[in-house]
Amino acid sequence: MSQSLNIKNLHASVEGTEILKGLSLEIPKGEVHAIMGPNGSGKSTLSKVMAGHEDYEVTEGSVHMDGVDLLDMDIDERSRAGFFLAFQYPHEIPGVSNANFLRAALQARLPKGEEIDAVAFYKDMYSKMDALSMDRKFTARSVNDGFSGGEKKRNEILQMMMLEPHYAVLDETDSGLDIDALKIVAEGVNRMRSPERGFLVITHYQRLLDYIVPDVVHVMFDGRIVKTGDKSLALELEAKGYDWVTEELAATA
Ligand code: ADP
Ligand code: MG
């Protein structure tokens, strides 16, 4: 059984339009992979398909997490099995406090009859909030309700730190963050890097990758991975833009 998040020939459609057109990518446990690509290339579609968003129909291909069929699972099962997605546009959940939300998510991971230890939970949450420079007042506020763009992104990372997933996908977590917040968030991610965990960091800009240095960089275009390289590929993209990749593609077509 391969210890990886393994995406093979993935095709997915939304409202009858094919967005993912045979995307393949394997993230071995312990590695950080980045996907860069122009807007509209399908990056968020990929992340939402993996998380189980109901608007997207998988028409071909597979996604396996440590050998287990991810697409065969219900959304909550995917999460409990260790998959995590930090959304590009996090949802607001009015009426549910951040603390209760996190506690319920962690409780759902425990065997039946076992209760979460409230003291340990708060201690853990506060230390992780401190690491993200999040004010404690955010525990009592409704999830993302009225949060600024940057506060939502930090809250996504807090969720990730609390849930300790085996594989985490971060969809443009850098958007909406100023440079100081970006450094704090990147530090949070870097502290979670481990041989036991894989990351897929999706970003439009290379700036985030100055702080979360990836092992592998993939370029996505029109629903596929069209180029893969090391971290220097991100710098090359930053310097030359995406046109260079698409021109290269056209020349080899
Ligand atoms: P990216 O994240 O790379 O910018 P997206 O995955 O958000 O790209 O979008 C890829 C394409 O799929 C776009 O053309 C977008 O308009 C379309 N798309 C994504 N989600 C939906 C949806 N729910 N309904 C209709 N079109 C969608
Ligand atoms: Mg997107």
Side-chain angles (χ1 to χ4, degrees), residues 14-15 17 19-20 37-46 48 53 55-56 88 171-172 202 220:
V14 59
E15 288 170 7
T17 305
I19 308 294
L20 300 183
N39 286 324
S41 52
K43 304 185 297 298
S44 292
T45 299
L46 171 65
K48 288 190 263 188
H53 195 298
D55 286 355
Y56 301 84
Q88 180 172 7
D171 190 4
E172 296 209 22
I202 297 173
M220 185 163 176

PDB file of all heavy atoms in Angstrom, residues 14-15 17 19-20 37-46 48 53 55-56 88 171-172 202 220, ligand 1:
ATOM      1  N   VAL A  14     -18.538  20.135 -13.938  1.00  0.00           N
ATOM      2  CA  VAL A  14     -19.512  20.884 -13.171  1.00  0.00           C
ATOM      3  C   VAL A  14     -20.550  21.396 -14.165  1.00  0.00           C
ATOM      4  O   VAL A  14     -20.193  21.923 -15.228  1.00  0.00           O
ATOM      5  CB  VAL A  14     -18.863  22.016 -12.347  1.00  0.00           C
ATOM      6  CG1 VAL A  14     -18.127  23.017 -13.204  1.00  0.00           C
ATOM      7  CG2 VAL A  14     -19.872  22.707 -11.459  1.00  0.00           C
ATOM      8  N   GLU A  15     -21.798  21.154 -13.850  1.00  0.00           N
ATOM      9  CA  GLU A  15     -22.912  21.545 -14.729  1.00  0.00           C
ATOM     10  C   GLU A  15     -22.652  21.139 -16.171  1.00  0.00           C
ATOM     11  O   GLU A  15     -22.888  21.911 -17.113  1.00  0.00           O
ATOM     12  CB  GLU A  15     -23.169  23.047 -14.605  1.00  0.00           C
ATOM     13  CG  GLU A  15     -23.813  23.398 -13.263  1.00  0.00           C
ATOM     14  CD  GLU A  15     -23.859  24.891 -12.988  1.00  0.00           C
ATOM     15  OE1 GLU A  15     -23.512  25.676 -13.884  1.00  0.00           O
ATOM     16  OE2 GLU A  15     -24.249  25.247 -11.860  1.00  0.00           O
ATOM     17  N   THR A  17     -19.925  20.723 -17.807  1.00  0.00           N
ATOM     18  CA  THR A  17     -18.676  21.175 -18.427  1.00  0.00           C
ATOM     19  C   THR A  17     -17.500  20.485 -17.762  1.00  0.00           C
ATOM     20  O   THR A  17     -17.375  20.512 -16.538  1.00  0.00           O
ATOM     21  CB  THR A  17     -18.503  22.703 -18.261  1.00  0.00           C
ATOM     22  OG1 THR A  17     -19.656  23.345 -18.776  1.00  0.00           O
ATOM     23  CG2 THR A  17     -17.268  23.194 -18.983  1.00  0.00           C
ATOM     24  N   ILE A  19     -14.037  20.177 -16.333  1.00  0.00           N
ATOM     25  CA  ILE A  19     -13.030  21.122 -15.817  1.00  0.00           C
ATOM     26  C   ILE A  19     -11.697  20.401 -15.599  1.00  0.00           C
ATOM     27  O   ILE A  19     -10.649  20.893 -15.980  1.00  0.00           O
ATOM     28  CB  ILE A  19     -13.482  21.762 -14.482  1.00  0.00           C
ATOM     29  CG1 ILE A  19     -14.883  22.366 -14.596  1.00  0.00           C
ATOM     30  CG2 ILE A  19     -12.457  22.815 -14.019  1.00  0.00           C
ATOM     31  CD1 ILE A  19     -15.021  23.543 -15.506  1.00  0.00           C
ATOM     32  N   LEU A  20     -11.745  19.235 -14.971  1.00  0.00           N
ATOM     33  CA  LEU A  20     -10.523  18.430 -14.802  1.00  0.00           C
ATOM     34  C   LEU A  20     -10.481  17.424 -15.944  1.00  0.00           C
ATOM     35  O   LEU A  20     -11.433  16.677 -16.165  1.00  0.00           O
ATOM     36  CB  LEU A  20     -10.509  17.724 -13.447  1.00  0.00           C
ATOM     37  CG  LEU A  20     -10.573  18.628 -12.210  1.00  0.00           C
ATOM     38  CD1 LEU A  20     -10.477  17.793 -10.935  1.00  0.00           C
ATOM     39  CD2 LEU A  20      -9.493  19.706 -12.232  1.00  0.00           C
ATOM     40  N   GLY A  37      -0.873  27.865 -11.057  1.00  0.00           N
ATOM     41  CA  GLY A  37      -1.569  27.876 -12.342  1.00  0.00           C
ATOM     42  C   GLY A  37      -2.417  29.111 -12.462  1.00  0.00           C
ATOM     43  O   GLY A  37      -2.815  29.694 -11.455  1.00  0.00           O
ATOM     44  N   PRO A  38      -2.707  29.495 -13.703  1.00  0.00           N
ATOM     45  CA  PRO A  38      -3.524  30.687 -13.906  1.00  0.00           C
ATOM     46  C   PRO A  38      -4.936  30.501 -13.350  1.00  0.00           C
ATOM     47  O   PRO A  38      -5.383  29.368 -13.154  1.00  0.00           O
ATOM     48  CB  PRO A  38      -3.556  30.856 -15.434  1.00  0.00           C
ATOM     49  CG  PRO A  38      -3.000  29.613 -16.015  1.00  0.00           C
ATOM     50  CD  PRO A  38      -2.272  28.867 -14.960  1.00  0.00           C
ATOM     51  N   ASN A  39      -5.606  31.594 -13.098  1.00  0.00           N
ATOM     52  CA  ASN A  39      -6.988  31.530 -12.646  1.00  0.00           C
ATOM     53  C   ASN A  39      -7.818  30.786 -13.679  1.00  0.00           C
ATOM     54  O   ASN A  39      -7.614  30.936 -14.882  1.00  0.00           O
ATOM     55  CB  ASN A  39      -7.558  32.939 -12.448  1.00  0.00           C
ATOM     56  CG  ASN A  39      -6.993  33.582 -11.201  1.00  0.00           C
ATOM     57  OD1 ASN A  39      -6.761  32.910 -10.195  1.00  0.00           O
ATOM     58  ND2 ASN A  39      -6.740  34.880 -11.266  1.00  0.00           N
ATOM     59  N   GLY A  40      -8.734  29.963 -13.181  1.00  0.00           N
ATOM     60  CA  GLY A  40      -9.626  29.229 -14.074  1.00  0.00           C
ATOM     61  C   GLY A  40      -9.059  27.914 -14.575  1.00  0.00           C
ATOM     62  O   GLY A  40      -9.699  27.214 -15.354  1.00  0.00           O
ATOM     63  N   SER A  41      -7.857  27.539 -14.134  1.00  0.00           N
ATOM     64  CA  SER A  41      -7.276  26.292 -14.647  1.00  0.00           C
ATOM     65  C   SER A  41      -7.854  25.057 -13.948  1.00  0.00           C
ATOM     66  O   SER A  41      -7.638  23.938 -14.392  1.00  0.00           O
ATOM     67  CB  SER A  41      -5.744  26.319 -14.539  1.00  0.00           C
ATOM     68  OG  SER A  41      -5.328  26.648 -13.245  1.00  0.00           O
ATOM     69  N   GLY A  42      -8.579  25.278 -12.839  1.00  0.00           N
ATOM     70  CA  GLY A  42      -9.254  24.143 -12.186  1.00  0.00           C
ATOM     71  C   GLY A  42      -8.668  23.769 -10.837  1.00  0.00           C
ATOM     72  O   GLY A  42      -8.971  22.700 -10.302  1.00  0.00           O
ATOM     73  N   LYS A  43      -7.869  24.644 -10.268  1.00  0.00           N
ATOM     74  CA  LYS A  43      -7.198  24.330  -8.996  1.00  0.00           C
ATOM     75  C   LYS A  43      -8.211  24.126  -7.862  1.00  0.00           C
ATOM     76  O   LYS A  43      -8.128  23.149  -7.110  1.00  0.00           O
ATOM     77  CB  LYS A  43      -6.203  25.457  -8.627  1.00  0.00           C
ATOM     78  CG  LYS A  43      -5.156  25.732  -9.713  1.00  0.00           C
ATOM     79  CD  LYS A  43      -4.117  26.759  -9.292  1.00  0.00           C
ATOM     80  CE  LYS A  43      -4.657  28.158  -9.009  1.00  0.00           C
ATOM     81  NZ  LYS A  43      -5.287  28.821 -10.178  1.00  0.00           N
ATOM     82  N   SER A  44      -9.145  25.049  -7.746  1.00  0.00           N
ATOM     83  CA  SER A  44     -10.146  24.897  -6.685  1.00  0.00           C
ATOM     84  C   SER A  44     -11.074  23.720  -6.970  1.00  0.00           C
ATOM     85  O   SER A  44     -11.529  23.043  -6.046  1.00  0.00           O
ATOM     86  CB  SER A  44     -10.978  26.177  -6.532  1.00  0.00           C
ATOM     87  OG  SER A  44     -10.171  27.220  -6.035  1.00  0.00           O
ATOM     88  N   THR A  45     -11.343  23.482  -8.246  1.00  0.00           N
ATOM     89  CA  THR A  45     -12.172  22.331  -8.605  1.00  0.00           C
ATOM     90  C   THR A  45     -11.514  21.047  -8.108  1.00  0.00           C
ATOM     91  O   THR A  45     -12.170  20.195  -7.503  1.00  0.00           O
ATOM     92  CB  THR A  45     -12.378  22.276 -10.136  1.00  0.00           C
ATOM     93  OG1 THR A  45     -13.053  23.470 -10.542  1.00  0.00           O
ATOM     94  CG2 THR A  45     -13.177  21.058 -10.547  1.00  0.00           C
ATOM     95  N   LEU A  46     -10.209  20.926  -8.325  1.00  0.00           N
ATOM     96  CA  LEU A  46      -9.480  19.746  -7.852  1.00  0.00           C
ATOM     97  C   LEU A  46      -9.645  19.595  -6.336  1.00  0.00           C
ATOM     98  O   LEU A  46      -9.944  18.496  -5.847  1.00  0.00           O
ATOM     99  CB  LEU A  46      -7.993  19.876  -8.208  1.00  0.00           C
ATOM    100  CG  LEU A  46      -7.072  18.826  -7.580  1.00  0.00           C
ATOM    101  CD1 LEU A  46      -7.411  17.429  -8.111  1.00  0.00           C
ATOM    102  CD2 LEU A  46      -5.601  19.158  -7.850  1.00  0.00           C
ATOM    103  N   LYS A  48     -11.940  20.814  -4.336  1.00  0.00           N
ATOM    104  CA  LYS A  48     -13.315  20.533  -3.923  1.00  0.00           C
ATOM    105  C   LYS A  48     -13.763  19.121  -4.296  1.00  0.00           C
ATOM    106  O   LYS A  48     -14.519  18.493  -3.564  1.00  0.00           O
ATOM    107  CB  LYS A  48     -14.254  21.599  -4.489  1.00  0.00           C
ATOM    108  CG  LYS A  48     -14.056  22.939  -3.749  1.00  0.00           C
ATOM    109  CD  LYS A  48     -15.108  23.946  -4.097  1.00  0.00           C
ATOM    110  CE  LYS A  48     -14.628  24.890  -5.160  1.00  0.00           C
ATOM    111  NZ  LYS A  48     -15.559  26.001  -5.404  1.00  0.00           N
ATOM    112  N   HIS A  53     -17.229  17.857  -2.657  1.00  0.00           N
ATOM    113  CA  HIS A  53     -18.258  18.866  -2.950  1.00  0.00           C
ATOM    114  C   HIS A  53     -19.279  18.295  -3.940  1.00  0.00           C
ATOM    115  O   HIS A  53     -18.912  17.756  -4.984  1.00  0.00           O
ATOM    116  CB  HIS A  53     -17.585  20.107  -3.526  1.00  0.00           C
ATOM    117  CG  HIS A  53     -18.457  21.319  -3.536  1.00  0.00           C
ATOM    118  ND1 HIS A  53     -19.641  21.387  -4.242  1.00  0.00           N
ATOM    119  CD2 HIS A  53     -18.321  22.521  -2.918  1.00  0.00           C
ATOM    120  CE1 HIS A  53     -20.185  22.582  -4.063  1.00  0.00           C
ATOM    121  NE2 HIS A  53     -19.400  23.280  -3.252  1.00  0.00           N
ATOM    122  N   ASP A  55     -21.360  19.596  -6.050  1.00  0.00           N
ATOM    123  CA  ASP A  55     -21.570  20.207  -7.377  1.00  0.00           C
ATOM    124  C   ASP A  55     -20.718  19.553  -8.465  1.00  0.00           C
ATOM    125  O   ASP A  55     -20.955  19.767  -9.647  1.00  0.00           O
ATOM    126  CB  ASP A  55     -21.197  21.704  -7.354  1.00  0.00           C
ATOM    127  CG  ASP A  55     -22.228  22.540  -6.625  1.00  0.00           C
ATOM    128  OD1 ASP A  55     -23.263  21.974  -6.225  1.00  0.00           O
ATOM    129  OD2 ASP A  55     -21.986  23.758  -6.457  1.00  0.00           O
ATOM    130  N   TYR A  56     -19.696  18.805  -8.052  1.00  0.00           N
ATOM    131  CA  TYR A  56     -18.721  18.308  -9.018  1.00  0.00           C
ATOM    132  C   TYR A  56     -18.903  16.814  -9.241  1.00  0.00           C
ATOM    133  O   TYR A  56     -18.996  16.046  -8.294  1.00  0.00           O
ATOM    134  CB  TYR A  56     -17.294  18.600  -8.540  1.00  0.00           C
ATOM    135  CG  TYR A  56     -17.078  20.088  -8.341  1.00  0.00           C
ATOM    136  CD1 TYR A  56     -17.455  20.706  -7.152  1.00  0.00           C
ATOM    137  CD2 TYR A  56     -16.555  20.866  -9.365  1.00  0.00           C
ATOM    138  CE1 TYR A  56     -17.293  22.076  -6.980  1.00  0.00           C
ATOM    139  CE2 TYR A  56     -16.388  22.230  -9.203  1.00  0.00           C
ATOM    140  CZ  TYR A  56     -16.767  22.831  -8.005  1.00  0.00           C
ATOM    141  OH  TYR A  56     -16.617  24.180  -7.851  1.00  0.00           O
ATOM    142  N   GLN A  88     -10.372  28.101  -0.374  1.00  0.00           N
ATOM    143  CA  GLN A  88     -10.014  29.429  -0.903  1.00  0.00           C
ATOM    144  C   GLN A  88     -11.001  30.468  -0.378  1.00  0.00           C
ATOM    145  O   GLN A  88     -10.605  31.575  -0.018  1.00  0.00           O
ATOM    146  CB  GLN A  88     -10.034  29.402  -2.441  1.00  0.00           C
ATOM    147  CG  GLN A  88      -9.670  30.751  -3.053  1.00  0.00           C
ATOM    148  CD  GLN A  88      -9.491  30.678  -4.562  1.00  0.00           C
ATOM    149  OE1 GLN A  88      -9.761  29.657  -5.210  1.00  0.00           O
ATOM    150  NE2 GLN A  88      -9.032  31.775  -5.149  1.00  0.00           N
ATOM    151  N   ASP A 171      -5.907  25.714  -0.341  1.00  0.00           N
ATOM    152  CA  ASP A 171      -6.281  26.368  -1.596  1.00  0.00           C
ATOM    153  C   ASP A 171      -6.149  27.883  -1.471  1.00  0.00           C
ATOM    154  O   ASP A 171      -6.995  28.538  -0.871  1.00  0.00           O
ATOM    155  CB  ASP A 171      -7.711  25.984  -1.990  1.00  0.00           C
ATOM    156  CG  ASP A 171      -8.055  26.442  -3.406  1.00  0.00           C
ATOM    157  OD1 ASP A 171      -7.174  26.991  -4.100  1.00  0.00           O
ATOM    158  OD2 ASP A 171      -9.213  26.237  -3.824  1.00  0.00           O
ATOM    159  N   GLU A 172      -5.097  28.412  -2.056  1.00  0.00           N
ATOM    160  CA  GLU A 172      -4.815  29.863  -2.048  1.00  0.00           C
ATOM    161  C   GLU A 172      -4.964  30.469  -0.654  1.00  0.00           C
ATOM    162  O   GLU A 172      -5.604  31.504  -0.475  1.00  0.00           O
ATOM    163  CB  GLU A 172      -5.692  30.589  -3.073  1.00  0.00           C
ATOM    164  CG  GLU A 172      -5.371  30.130  -4.486  1.00  0.00           C
ATOM    165  CD  GLU A 172      -5.623  31.174  -5.563  1.00  0.00           C
ATOM    166  OE1 GLU A 172      -5.645  32.371  -5.251  1.00  0.00           O
ATOM    167  OE2 GLU A 172      -5.777  30.767  -6.723  1.00  0.00           O
ATOM    168  N   ILE A 202      -1.796  25.050  -2.912  1.00  0.00           N
ATOM    169  CA  ILE A 202      -2.231  25.639  -4.181  1.00  0.00           C
ATOM    170  C   ILE A 202      -2.068  27.142  -4.100  1.00  0.00           C
ATOM    171  O   ILE A 202      -2.532  27.770  -3.145  1.00  0.00           O
ATOM    172  CB  ILE A 202      -3.717  25.294  -4.448  1.00  0.00           C
ATOM    173  CG1 ILE A 202      -3.884  23.780  -4.597  1.00  0.00           C
ATOM    174  CG2 ILE A 202      -4.234  26.035  -5.672  1.00  0.00           C
ATOM    175  CD1 ILE A 202      -5.329  23.322  -4.695  1.00  0.00           C
ATOM    176  N   MET A 220      -0.431  23.742 -13.300  1.00  0.00           N
ATOM    177  CA  MET A 220      -1.719  23.272 -13.790  1.00  0.00           C
ATOM    178  C   MET A 220      -2.228  24.224 -14.850  1.00  0.00           C
ATOM    179  O   MET A 220      -2.130  25.447 -14.703  1.00  0.00           O
ATOM    180  CB  MET A 220      -2.708  23.208 -12.627  1.00  0.00           C
ATOM    181  CG  MET A 220      -4.043  22.623 -13.010  1.00  0.00           C
ATOM    182  SD  MET A 220      -4.910  22.137 -11.506  1.00  0.00           S
ATOM    183  CE  MET A 220      -6.455  21.625 -12.232  1.00  0.00           C
TER     184      MET A 220
HETATM  185  P1  ADP B   1      -8.948  28.074 -10.246  1.00  0.00           P
HETATM  186  O1  ADP B   1      -9.121  27.709  -8.816  1.00  0.00           O
HETATM  187  O2  ADP B   1      -7.735  27.464 -10.887  1.00  0.00           O
HETATM  188  O3  ADP B   1      -8.978  29.552 -10.473  1.00  0.00           O
HETATM  189  P2  ADP B   1     -11.583  26.908 -10.571  1.00  0.00           P
HETATM  190  O4  ADP B   1     -11.464  25.456 -10.254  1.00  0.00           O
HETATM  191  O5  ADP B   1     -12.166  27.791  -9.538  1.00  0.00           O
HETATM  192  O6  ADP B   1     -10.168  27.457 -11.074  1.00  0.00           O
HETATM  193  O7  ADP B   1     -12.459  27.073 -11.877  1.00  0.00           O
HETATM  194  C1  ADP B   1     -12.185  26.360 -13.097  1.00  0.00           C
HETATM  195  C2  ADP B   1     -13.316  26.591 -14.068  1.00  0.00           C
HETATM  196  O8  ADP B   1     -14.481  25.922 -13.597  1.00  0.00           O
HETATM  197  C3  ADP B   1     -13.719  28.045 -14.243  1.00  0.00           C
HETATM  198  O9  ADP B   1     -14.007  28.248 -15.601  1.00  0.00           O
HETATM  199  C4  ADP B   1     -14.952  28.173 -13.390  1.00  0.00           C
HETATM  200  O10 ADP B   1     -15.811  29.168 -13.857  1.00  0.00           O
HETATM  201  C5  ADP B   1     -15.578  26.809 -13.512  1.00  0.00           C
HETATM  202  N1  ADP B   1     -16.367  26.443 -12.312  1.00  0.00           N
HETATM  203  C6  ADP B   1     -15.854  26.088 -11.107  1.00  0.00           C
HETATM  204  N2  ADP B   1     -16.848  25.836 -10.218  1.00  0.00           N
HETATM  205  C7  ADP B   1     -18.009  26.043 -10.883  1.00  0.00           C
HETATM  206  C8  ADP B   1     -19.386  25.940 -10.513  1.00  0.00           C
HETATM  207  N3  ADP B   1     -19.751  25.553  -9.297  1.00  0.00           N
HETATM  208  N4  ADP B   1     -20.303  26.229 -11.489  1.00  0.00           N
HETATM  209  C9  ADP B   1     -19.917  26.592 -12.723  1.00  0.00           C
HETATM  210  N5  ADP B   1     -18.646  26.695 -13.129  1.00  0.00           N
HETATM  211  C10 ADP B   1     -17.682  26.433 -12.227  1.00  0.00           C
END
